[in-house]
Amino acid sequence: MADAQIILAYGRDAGIVAIGHGERYKAAHQALSAAGFHRGDDWVYHLPNADESASRATVADLVRHATAHGAEVTTSSRRFIGDTAQDIARLLPGQWEARIELYSHPVWQQDLVPWLWDSGELARAVQNEQVPYAATLTDAAGTTLLLVERPSHQLGYLVGVFAPEPFEEGYGDPHAPRSIALPPFADRAARAIADRFLPAYERAVHARRITTVTEALDRIRAEQDAWAAFVASGRYSDVISLDTATRGEAAETFLNRAWAKFLTIVQHAPALLDRCRPAATSWPEDARVLAKLADTLTYADSLYRDASLTRPERDARLWAALDVWLTHSEPFLRQALAAAPLQQPTVPAAAPPRQALPRSHQTPRR
């Protein structure tokens, strides 16, 4: 495979489009410019408006320039991925924005790896296959999907998702949802995303939030146990007794460590509480506890911003907030588990018979 390549595809509005990539992608760009292709703001090259005969002549000229620059020209068996992404975005529920992404140099796609939240084929493809371009679809809530052409297939796509912002990187996360393969038909692809992938994504987000909050509570409890054992010992070390000043410093250290972990709960627990419906569970009496936990989060979030509090006042309130969550962690977690989004399996519709591409757009497999 040449280290400078040009992929031609057909765009609904732009006509013939071209994408240069490879380790020497700049040579591919030079060949495209020399042949009369214009580069758009998204770095996708396209031909200016021209009739069919002029377009054929320009493409033939491109082949000559590409050869002179050491680049290889291939044609895609699919339509331009930007058009596909826009069609899918229009058919998904809610408001979605589609954008094209180019990874002209092969190493650029590796920038996706830490952020791609996937346990399926898409993650493997990004790590092991050449993915010169893709499309993202982002909704108003900030969920961003990644759409790529499925490697080793002439038709079809893969779709996965980036880790939600509160989770930072998603690589290797056991809660990551599994990417799915999509048919080459926008309506069916959108249906598969809406019916299968997005519900699975919501379940994965919910499960990871529960794990994150559980781990934070466990660490706070461990810190508290260590603090209690320290105080019960009555000693700072084997030779030094625990005096009032030392005890105060140790309490401050514990609170600072515990509060750093509690901020994780402040960040993730509200979304879990919003989903909880105690009346629909076997523990309707938990409603009062959940309300108290929610009030504590609101109250605790403002503590560090309240400049009117003295340190002893602030510390006392922090102790109280931590105690509420440690005391009522069990009903919270059982309600959060009960509130997990339900899986609603759907039967995918059968794809229509594959039709041959129009002769003017039919191209060999790349």
Side-chain angles (χ1 to χ4, degrees):
M1 182 179 292
D3 56 6
Q5 300 175 58
I6 298 170
I7 297 176
L8 300 178
Y10 186 78
R12 178 173 49 224
D13 300 320
I16 297 176
V17 297
I19 297 173
H21 67 100
E23 293 183 1
R24 295 179 55 250
Y25 68 91
K26 291 183 179 180
H29 290 173
Q30 291 168 358
L32 285 164
S33 296
F37 280 76
H38 293 179
R39 191 185 73 196
D41 293 337
D42 55 6
W43 283 76
V44 175
Y45 286 78
H46 59 88
L47 279 177
N49 293 331
D51 57 31
E52 185 175 348
S53 60
S55 296
R56 287 178 177 174
T58 302
V59 171
D61 196 32
L62 170 63
V63 174
R64 291 192 292 271
H65 283 288
T67 300
H69 285 82
E72 178 185 16
V73 178
T74 60
T75 48
S76 175
S77 58
R78 302 171 173 91
R79 65 190 183 117
F80 178 48
I81 194 171
D83 293 344
T84 300
Q86 288 178 1
D87 290 345
I88 292 174
R90 283 194 293 266
L91 293 168
L92 287 174
Q95 297 294 320
W96 292 79
E97 178 185 1
R99 295 184 60 182
I100 187 75
E101 294 232 335
L102 303 186
Y103 316 114
S104 300
H105 195 287
V107 300
W108 293 358
Q109 71 188 64
Q110 297 304 315
D111 293 340
L112 300 173
V113 173
W115 308 103
L116 193 59
W117 199 36
D118 182 54
S119 59
E121 185 178 350
L122 178 60
R124 295 192 296 272
V126 169
Q127 293 180 69
N128 302 312
E129 305 286 346
Q130 191 167 6
V131 181
Y133 50 82
T136 58
L137 296 93
T138 305
D139 72 354
T143 301
T144 300
L145 308 179
L146 184 69
L147 179 75
V148 305
E149 296 175 349
R150 193 177 187 187
S152 304
H153 292 71
Q154 282 189 295
L155 298 172
Y157 302 87
L158 295 173
V159 69
V161 69
F162 290 106
E165 184 177 351
F167 296 150
E168 298 181 350
E169 297 184 2
Y171 178 76
D173 180 16
H175 297 95
R178 184 177 296 274
S179 53
I180 63 172
L182 299 177
F185 312 100
D187 57 342
R188 299 184 181 206
R191 187 186 311 153
I193 293 173
D195 291 352
R196 293 167 49 206
F197 184 77
L198 289 178
Y201 167 73
E202 291 296 331
R203 291 192 296 274
V205 170
H206 190 83
R208 184 167 178 183
R209 286 192 189 278
I210 291 176
T211 298
T212 301
V213 172
T214 301
E215 290 175 347
L217 287 169
D218 288 344
R219 289 169 183 163
I220 293 171
R221 188 171 284 108
E223 291 279 358
Q224 186 186 54
D225 291 345
W227 154 254
F230 175 69
V231 172
S233 72
R235 305 193 66 81
Y236 181 76
S237 68
D238 291 342
V239 297
I240 302 176
S241 298
L242 186 62
D243 57 23
T244 301
T246 305
R247 181 179 300 187
E249 292 174 0
E252 187 71 19
T253 299
F254 160 72
L255 277 178
N256 288 336
R257 290 177 178 174
W259 187 250
K261 296 173 178 64
F262 190 72
L263 289 177
T264 299
I265 299 174
V266 172
Q267 183 178 36
H268 292 283
L272 295 173
L273 287 168
D274 284 344
R275 281 190 174 271
C276 291
R277 300 292 182 269
T281 71
S282 301
W283 314 278
E285 67 277 8
D286 288 345
R288 182 178 298 179
V289 170
L290 296 187
K292 186 175 183 179
L293 292 172
D295 289 344
T296 302
L297 288 179
T298 303
Y299 167 75
D301 190 37
S302 64
L303 286 180
Y304 269 113
R305 292 194 293 271
D306 191 345
S308 66
L309 294 176
T310 64
R311 173 165 289 185
E313 289 173 333
R314 188 207 67 179
D315 289 353
R317 297 185 184 189
L318 291 181
W319 276 103
L322 293 173
D323 184 63
V324 168
W325 270 86
L326 291 176
T327 300
H328 300 295
S329 60
E330 182 177 349
F332 166 75
L333 291 174
R334 72 189 177 200
Q335 288 293 336
L337 288 169
L342 297 177
Q343 184 171 2
Q344 298 178 343
T346 59
V347 179
R354 184 180 300 176
Q355 297 179 352
L357 296 173
R359 182 174 298 274
S360 59
H361 303 152
Q362 194 169 8
T363 56
R365 183 175 181 176
R366 61 180 184 184

